[in-house]
């Protein structure tokens, strides 16, 4: 027991030192406007090189991932039907689907599923 405690303390200390060293060494000391801007044949750029990211797209992608993972959780429930009682399986699956539908209704009601506003 004592060996595990000492080993874990040593590992935490080593990890902390490595993280602090990485943080100190990774900082750039001088930020140069010319080096951070894109290169356009020696001239100043005519417009911004970065296109602004759509926050709507990001929110819809996150909602899609959440529902996709929930569907992946729902699919193995069919395989567990023969090994469980029909009453507990039905209650569990109906409750899970109701929670999914309530979440979908909430997202729809908040307007998060509309692509353009």
């Amino acid at each position: 027991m004592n060996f595990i405690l000492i080993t874990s303390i040593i590992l935490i200390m080593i990890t902390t030192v490595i993280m602090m060293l990485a943080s100190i060494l990774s900082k750039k000391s001088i930020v140069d406007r010319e080096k951070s801007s894109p290169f356009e044949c020696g001239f100043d750029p005519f417009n911004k090189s970065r296109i602004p990211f759509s926050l709507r797209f990001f929110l819809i992608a996150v909602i899609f991932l959440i529902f996709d993972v929930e569907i992946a959780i729902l699919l193995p429930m069919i395989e567990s039907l023969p090994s469980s009682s029909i009453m507990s399986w039905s209650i569990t699956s109906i409750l899970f689907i109701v929670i999914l539908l309530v979440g979908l209704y909430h997202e729809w009601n908040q307007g998060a599923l509309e692509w353009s506003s």
Side-chain angles (χ1 to χ4, degrees):
M1 179 69 178
N2 201 11
F3 176 72
I4 295 173
L5 182 64
I6 292 171
T7 306
S8 63
I9 290 173
I10 291 172
L11 286 175
I12 289 173
M13 288 174 51
I14 291 172
T15 306
T16 306
V17 168
I18 290 174
M19 286 174 49
M20 287 173 39
L21 280 174
S23 176
I24 291 169
L25 294 176
S26 69
K27 302 242 185 217
K28 292 183 179 177
S29 59
I30 299 172
V31 178
D32 189 13
R33 180 181 163 272
E34 297 296 325
K35 288 184 180 178
S36 63
S37 66
F39 180 72
E40 287 189 12
C41 301
F43 296 105
D44 287 333
F46 296 117
N47 53 13
K48 288 189 173 187
S49 64
R50 306 220 191 297
I51 300 171
F53 187 72
S54 172
L55 189 60
R56 279 274 189 215
F57 174 77
F58 179 74
L59 290 175
I60 289 178
V62 168
I63 291 170
F64 170 75
L65 285 175
I66 289 170
F67 281 103
D68 191 41
V69 168
E70 289 171 349
I71 294 299
I73 292 172
L74 191 61
L75 286 176
M77 290 182 74
I78 297 169
E79 292 290 324
S80 68
L81 178 60
S83 63
S84 62
S85 69
I86 190 73
M87 190 65 173
S88 67
W89 185 86
S90 298
I91 291 172
T92 304
S93 60
I94 288 173
L95 183 67
F96 192 78
I97 292 173
V98 165
I99 290 172
L100 281 177
L101 289 175
V102 167
L104 180 64
Y105 175 73
H106 176 71
E107 294 295 333
W108 190 7
N109 195 19
Q110 294 294 319
L113 298 178
E114 296 176 12
W115 183 253
S116 61
S117 51

